[in-house]
Amino acid sequence: MPRRRTSSSSSSTAPPAPSAPRNRTPQPVRVRRRSFGDFVKAFLAFLVLLVLVVGVPLALATQIGWPLPDGAPSLDWLQREITVQTFLHILTVIVWFAWAQFTACVLVEVKAALSGVGVPGRVPGSGPSQLLARQLVAALLLVGATAASLTPGLSQLGQSLEGNQKPSVAAAQQTPGLFAQQQEQAAATAGALAEQAGQAGQAAARADGGSSAAHGDTKYYRIQPPEGRHHDSLWEVAERHLGDGRRYKEIFELNKDRVQPDGSRLSEASLIRPGWIMEMPGDARGGELVEMPDEAPNVSEQVQQQISDYARTGDHAHQGSGGGDAQVSLPEQRPAPTPANPVTPATPVPGTGQERATPAAGQAEHSFGLPEALLAAPLLAAGLLGALGRRRRQAMWQSALGAVGGRRGMEPPTPTGDAQDVQDALLVGADPEGVRLLDRSLRGLSASLAAESRPLPVVYAAWMSGNGDLHLQLAQPAGKPPTPWQQGQDQTFWMLARADAERYEDAETAAPYPGLVSLGTMDDSRLLLNLEAVPGIVSLGGAEADRAAVFASVAAELATNGWSDRMTITLVGFGDDLTPLAPNRIRHLDGFEDLFETMSAETRQRRGALGAAGHDSVLTGRTGPAQHTRWAPHLVLLAAQPSDDDALRLAELAADAGRLGIGYLVGTQGTDLPGAAWEMEITGEGRLLAPLLGLELDAQMLPAAQRRAVVELFTDADPGSDPEGGPGRPANAPPFLVDISEQGRPAVYARLVGSYEIMGLDAPDGERSALLHEALALLLLHREGVHPRVLSSALWPRGVTADVRDALLERLRAWLGTDPDGTPRLATDATGRLTLAKSVVSDLDVLRSLYYEATQGRGVGSRQVRGRLLTDALVLVRGPLLADRPEGRYRWLTHEIVDAQLPLLVADTGLALSEFHLEKNRAEKAIEALNAALRTAPADERLWHELLRATHTTGDPGRLRALAADLVDRSGARGLPPRTEALLDELLPTWREGVSAAG
């Protein structure tokens, strides 16, 4: 591994272990200077262009002449014999057309290169010709002043990295923080690695180190100042002097919390400063870099004294480790709530009202077969669950608006197999409250800074601790945070306690950090990396399948998260099946050339737009007047490893990406990706390693099987994906049809539409009544079955022990009882899900069954039966679902779509009954049915339209005018919908005059 040259550096005698994670200093981007060969290529390109653009037409004109006839040809021309001259003229015409097309390509490419803005336009049907023209123009302009505009990032590589980056590099050298010492590594893409230390010097250093080690003396190492843009790290120290970078933890433990010469303390392995002293393990090797307190002839007396003073702090440090004022980089942990619904038996915490679980080794029930990857990804699960609910609601409304003569697609398809398991895992693992607090906290911070006329600080990462506190890790100190934010453990941390976050209100401001995405957990804290702020490329090494699982998790969370307004996610080399998750966010490119062409244009456009707006980065743009129209992040996930040449081009392109709001995450088989600012590796055990950043996470992943199941859920929810969809498709049958005859009277009847009432059961124990009622309501709304973990997560969102959950299920079974034949009314199906017997029925089941029978069952052939069924259905509607539910309970309804299904079902019933009465000219009965439906579905435009038509049939213009005035009053400042206005214009052309007079 190449190492920087230093006067006091040496190498280890033992090679690093083969299994050690390889995370090297980013390889440099070697920007080629113009050589003699470049001038030769430019000259040859000029000659070729001269011959093709000028020589070809001259040759055609002088040697062959004009091939077309001088006048209009006669019909005799078609009967003439085809001679050699005729054939040559035809070929000449073809050559003229080819020349014209190539010349147009050259003009288009020259214009694009000289302007430096946008992607060159495509000349129709000229793929190879335009590619040749592009290469020739590029070669010609490579030595000219416009080469920078042709090759984005090339001209600015030296300026932005050598010049503009210097202040931030200096600041980073003085700034502690998990990522602070890596900030300047984007600049390293323009420099060269220092030469490796001489072999003779290394041998002498090893010999000296071996002799000192033989005496068994304690050894010390002094952290070296940065050389160029390279910072020392404990990983590299351990690799050089202990032979294995993974032994950096031993050095950390020996020196943790000991007072350093500058008065600060070592509290995190990734936070070391030049001049600090490190006590080394006894087997350390390496010559003069490993110093003895009393034998340091090659350093100044001041350093000798510092080492001696530091040596006397050892016993005190080890005895008082972890005390007092120690600063930490990883946010300090407090006792945190257990993740939702752990299933390990434990003793409940008394007096809390909601018992918590304490994991016990060897007693876990794991996940009941649910995907662990989604159970351990609460933010990802919440985003997917919310997006899935919106997709299903949208599908229902689209189906309702397109229905003709009846409702189509009332019930979304019930998932099965892996899709069902994944849906249950989303319900169990989702943390929508965490997403809400994160979003409000970030927007609130942005609003507070804008009120103080302060810019947004660059945030590299966010840590969400187990107790709900939020820690933002800044690229550099940004002063005192606005209230209620507090200074964290050092100047690069801003912290917001959960209690303060809960008091935040919704802020009307743009999302400040939409590029945050979860990578995994470390010491009970969840890390969200801000991909768009990384100063360069983030590389991810490891096996292909493991990398794909990380990429899929990142893409899915970015596409569905709740703390972003707008963004573009470009997937290259994978993820063509992920588009259904968010078609307006995700796009897929076939290869690197398409990516480079697209991102080159966008980089130029963003750079120009920032300059024109007077902003230095997208962060300042997000708090200005253009915050809702510009500065949305663009995150590129490149799963296929680029070639060496492509990697260099990508590194040049990404050199200024952090300022422009563009992030790059690139997969690689090794760790030698040129231009990588931060390097990570995913192991086969699911660990995400970044030693130089001090990271070792339990990675968040979305394996292939779960990815396919998630996509299946979204695809099934999309009505456009059904080849048989549309108004003519038969409506989906309800999941549970009730026998609505007199013989089908249920044993247990629950009224959910309106106030919650249960008939057929004795009142349960008062203390547990609320839980039993809520559990039964959940089961009644899911006749297909409910997973035990879904039930427990719904009733106890903050977690519950397995014994408490099982005790509730036993009480629920005992309360529901058995049917006369001895069959229990609460059973468990073959998949382990809880199901209710057919003798347990809700009024919502009856309502669905009545409407289905009226429109697709017995009512289709009998008008009398249809009218009776529809009337009975509308009588059941007494209000909204579970109208009197207690505050704080039934929060799981936010994940359901029944709140959208019920109004649509009631509206469809009212519309069908209105149509039934209007067929016999019973306008008053139709109006009565529509008004009854409007009490439950007041926002359904279809009901108002039918009410206008029914009122018009009464022949009373005054009544119709009063209804129009009522509609205008209800619409408020928004005004009437266009279709409603058009209908009123048709039925009552003078309605505007009447409304004005009433007003």
Side-chain angles (χ1 to χ4, degrees):
M1 179 179 293
R3 294 290 173 197
R4 57 193 176 90
R5 183 184 298 278
T6 175
S7 58
S8 58
S9 66
S10 60
S11 299
S12 170
T13 57
S19 60
R22 298 176 58 227
N23 198 333
R24 298 171 48 186
T25 301
Q27 295 296 315
V29 176
R30 297 178 292 278
V31 181
R32 295 175 60 250
R33 301 184 180 275
R34 299 168 193 167
S35 63
F36 176 74
D38 292 331
F39 286 97
V40 171
K41 291 179 182 178
F43 178 71
L44 293 176
F46 172 76
L47 290 180
V48 173
L49 285 173
L50 186 65
V51 169
L52 293 178
V53 176
V54 180
V56 169
L58 287 178
L60 290 173
T62 58
Q63 300 300 320
I64 298 179
W66 187 248
L68 298 178
D70 297 331
S74 62
L75 294 177
D76 295 339
W77 179 76
L78 297 176
Q79 299 176 355
R80 293 178 184 175
E81 182 181 1
I82 298 178
T83 63
V84 174
Q85 191 67 24
T86 304
F87 185 71
L88 288 177
H89 282 176
I90 294 174
L91 290 180
T92 303
V93 172
I94 295 174
V95 173
W96 273 109
F97 275 117
W99 169 83
Q101 185 187 61
F102 179 76
T103 303
C105 294
V106 172
L107 294 176
V108 167
E109 294 297 329
V110 170
K111 179 181 180 299
L114 294 178
S115 64
V117 178
V119 178
R122 295 186 181 274
V123 178
S126 59
S129 298
Q130 189 161 6
L131 179 60
L132 175 61
R134 183 176 304 167
Q135 293 174 345
L136 292 174
V137 171
L140 178 61
L141 297 183
L142 183 62
V143 296
T146 59
S149 64
L150 183 70
T151 310
L154 187 60
S155 64
Q156 298 200 4
L157 199 59
Q159 300 173 10
S160 62
L161 297 182
E162 296 294 340
N164 300 340
Q165 292 284 348
K166 287 182 180 179
S168 62
V169 172
Q173 293 173 0
Q174 302 171 1
T175 304
L178 182 62
F179 300 110
Q181 61 182 336
Q182 302 298 326
Q183 178 184 12
E184 70 282 0
Q185 288 197 359
T189 59
L193 289 174
E195 296 180 359
Q196 194 171 7
Q199 296 297 325
Q202 293 177 2
R206 288 194 295 268
D208 180 64
S211 62
S212 63
H215 292 82
D217 297 316
T218 304
K219 302 174 179 65
Y220 293 86
Y221 170 77
R222 187 167 183 266
I223 301 299
Q224 301 300 301
E227 178 177 318
R229 295 176 177 83
H230 177 83
H231 282 257
D232 220 343
S233 69
L234 289 188
W235 178 279
E236 291 182 314
V237 173
E239 198 166 48
R240 289 197 301 267
H241 304 297
L242 299 176
D244 188 347
R246 292 176 297 180
R247 294 185 62 186
Y248 75 92
K249 295 181 180 179
E250 299 177 29
I251 307 176
F252 172 71
E253 292 298 331
L254 285 173
N255 298 275
K256 181 181 179 183
D257 296 330
R258 295 172 65 174
V259 178
Q260 293 291 336
D262 61 1
S264 55
R265 300 171 186 260
L266 173 67
S267 55
E268 178 61 38
S270 62
L271 304 181
I272 58 175
R273 303 182 187 177
W276 280 10
I277 309 299
M278 295 289 114
E279 181 179 339
M280 301 290 289
D283 61 339
R285 302 289 188 273
E288 60 186 14
L289 280 185
V290 181
E291 302 289 353
M292 318 291 289
D294 53 350
E295 298 177 8
N298 297 326
V299 298
S300 64
E301 293 183 3
Q302 178 183 4
V303 174
Q304 290 187 37
Q305 186 62 41
Q306 290 176 354
I307 295 177
S308 298
D309 293 342
Y310 186 75
R312 289 193 291 271
T313 67
D315 292 340
H316 169 74
H318 294 312
Q319 292 174 4
S321 178
D325 56 351
Q327 297 178 339
V328 296
S329 176
L330 180 68
E332 184 176 331
Q333 298 301 295
R334 308 172 190 173
T338 304
N341 308 295
V343 292
T344 54
T347 303
V349 180
T352 61
Q354 287 190 343
E355 295 83 349
R356 306 290 179 84
T358 304
Q363 296 178 345
E365 296 180 64
H366 303 293
S367 59
F368 278 89
L370 298 182
E372 291 281 2
L374 290 171
L375 294 177
L379 303 184
L380 169 62
L384 289 171
L385 196 59
L388 181 61
R390 291 190 296 272
R391 184 68 55 81
R392 286 173 171 172
R393 284 181 170 86
Q394 181 183 13
M396 284 195 302
W397 277 107
Q398 289 176 352
S399 180
L401 294 176
V404 177
R407 181 74 177 95
R408 297 295 183 264
M410 169 60 71
E411 303 297 334
T414 301
T416 58
D418 289 344
Q420 187 177 23
D421 290 340
V422 162
Q423 178 173 276
D424 288 340
L426 294 178
L427 290 167
V428 174
D431 182 15
E433 181 66 12
V435 172
R436 185 183 68 86
L437 290 179
L438 175 62
D439 183 44
R440 284 189 173 185
S441 300
L442 296 177
R443 293 181 194 269
L445 173 64
S446 178
S448 299
L449 290 173
E452 299 176 6
S453 298
R454 295 172 59 186
L456 285 167
V458 177
V459 169
Y460 277 163
W463 290 95
M464 297 184 69
S465 61
N467 58 7
D469 295 345
L470 176 63
H471 303 253
L472 296 184
Q473 190 145 15
L474 313 183
Q476 57 189 12
K480 182 180 178 181
T483 306
W485 290 78
Q486 306 171 22
Q487 194 82 53
Q489 45 266 46
D490 58 51
Q491 294 181 348
T492 61
F493 272 99
W494 285 1
M495 190 273 289
L496 181 67
R498 182 185 178 95
D500 294 327
E502 289 173 343
R503 290 193 287 269
Y504 260 123
E505 300 292 338
D506 291 332
E508 292 294 331
T509 185
Y513 304 112
L516 286 169
V517 64
S518 303
L519 290 185
T521 56
M522 177 179 178
D523 295 343
D524 209 23
S525 288
R526 182 167 300 278
L527 171 67
L528 290 89
L529 184 66
N530 191 7
L531 282 179
E532 68 165 339
V534 176
I537 297 172
V538 179
S539 70
L540 178 66
E544 184 177 358
D546 298 326
R547 295 201 317 265
V550 174
F551 273 103
S553 170
V554 169
E557 185 170 296
L558 289 173
T560 61
N561 71 45
W563 54 89
S564 300
D565 294 325
R566 299 177 299 114
M567 69 165 53
T568 299
I569 307 161
T570 296
L571 309 180
V572 185
F574 87 110
D576 51 345
D577 60 334
L578 292 175
T579 304
L581 301 186
N584 59 333
R585 284 192 177 188
I586 295 178
R587 67 178 177 182
H588 184 268
L589 297 180
D590 293 331
F592 183 83
E593 286 302 326
D594 291 339
L595 172 67
F596 187 76
E597 182 177 2
T598 300
M599 297 313 299
S600 296
E602 182 161 344
T603 299
R604 289 196 298 268
Q605 292 168 356
R606 289 200 176 211
R607 189 179 290 128
L610 281 175
H615 298 303
D616 57 351
S617 74
V618 295
L619 289 179
T620 55
R622 284 188 184 134
T623 56
Q627 58 178 314
H628 294 295
T629 58
R630 202 177 295 166
W631 326 125
H634 188 161
L635 304 175
V636 177
L637 307 181
L638 178 59
Q641 180 169 353
S643 64
D644 292 343
D645 291 340
D646 290 341
L648 291 175
R649 296 167 66 192
L650 187 63
E652 294 171 3
L653 193 62
D656 200 23
R659 186 176 68 90
L660 303 177
I662 303 175
Y664 294 89
L665 179 60
V666 181
T668 176
Q669 296 178 358
T671 55
D672 298 331
L673 185 69
W678 296 343
E679 295 181 341
M680 299 184 295
E681 179 183 1
I682 179 67
T683 69
E685 293 75 30
R687 301 284 291 172
L688 191 66
L689 308 178
L692 293 182
L693 302 180
L695 290 178
E696 189 171 340
L697 307 171
D698 291 322
Q700 179 172 297
M701 307 169 73
L702 186 61
Q706 282 81 58
R707 183 179 73 246
R708 289 191 295 269
V710 166
V711 172
E712 179 183 341
L713 288 174
F714 279 80
T715 303
D716 290 345
D718 187 356
S721 65
D722 186 355
E724 300 179 359
R729 178 173 59 90
N732 293 338
F736 176 63
L737 285 173
V738 178
D739 183 359
I740 56 178
S741 66
E742 287 296 328
Q743 295 75 25
R745 186 176 299 275
V748 178
Y749 182 67
R751 304 177 73 179
L752 304 179
V753 184
S755 58
Y756 191 3
E757 302 174 9
I758 299 178
M759 289 168 277
L761 293 176
D762 296 331
D765 183 3
E767 296 181 359
R768 300 184 176 93
S769 175
L771 274 176
L772 292 173
H773 277 73
E774 187 173 357
L776 179 56
L778 178 61
L779 290 166
L780 285 168
L781 292 177
H782 289 278
R783 302 304 302 232
E784 72 278 9
V786 177
H787 196 285
R789 291 208 63 184
V790 174
L791 179 66
S792 60
S793 68
L795 301 181
W796 293 282
R798 301 177 65 183
V800 68
T801 56
D803 55 343
V804 174
R805 183 202 62 227
D806 293 341
L808 172 76
L809 293 179
E810 290 303 319
R811 294 190 191 98
L812 186 59
R813 285 192 177 94
W815 181 43
L816 292 174
T818 59
D819 286 333
D821 61 358
T823 303
R825 292 170 181 158
L826 178 62
T828 302
D829 65 10
T831 65
R833 289 173 172 80
L834 303 168
T835 59
L836 290 174
K838 292 184 178 181
S839 59
V840 183
V841 173
S842 73
D843 55 353
L844 184 58
D845 296 327
V846 177
L847 177 60
R848 287 168 170 164
S849 300
L850 287 171
Y851 177 75
Y852 180 80
E853 285 291 338
T855 56
Q856 297 187 70
R858 292 177 294 164
V860 174
S862 172
R863 172 181 168 79
Q864 182 179 2
V865 172
R866 182 167 73 255
R868 178 175 56 81
L869 293 175
L870 291 172
T871 302
D872 291 345
L874 209 54
V875 169
L876 291 176
V877 181
R878 300 176 298 118
L881 189 76
L882 298 168
D884 58 351
R885 58 181 179 267
E887 185 178 358
R889 288 202 174 274
Y890 297 87
R891 293 183 178 179
W892 46 269
L893 280 172
T894 59
H895 302 316
E896 304 286 341
I897 61 172
V898 67
D899 60 331
Q901 284 177 312
L902 179 59
L904 284 175
L905 177 59
V906 173
D908 288 339
T909 304
L911 290 170
L913 187 56
S914 171
E915 181 183 6
F916 170 81
H917 288 305
L918 288 177
E919 288 175 356
K920 295 296 184 179
N921 297 320
R922 295 195 291 262
E924 295 298 335
K925 289 287 187 180
I927 292 173
E928 181 182 350
L930 293 169
N931 282 325
L934 279 168
R935 285 192 287 270
T936 300
D940 198 313
E941 190 179 356
R942 299 173 302 157
L943 291 174
W944 290 106
H945 290 174
E946 288 304 310
L947 185 59
L948 287 171
R949 294 187 181 98
T951 305
H952 179 262
T953 61
T954 63
D956 187 349
R959 189 174 179 181
L960 184 59
R961 191 175 294 107
L963 179 58
D966 184 36
L967 276 174
V968 171
D969 184 61
R970 288 172 180 269
S971 62
R974 295 174 300 176
L976 291 176
R979 287 184 295 185
T980 305
E981 284 192 357
L983 180 60
L984 278 172
D985 288 337
E986 174 67 23
L987 301 179
L988 187 65
T990 61
W991 70 273
R992 288 183 173 83
E993 300 174 4
V995 170
S996 301

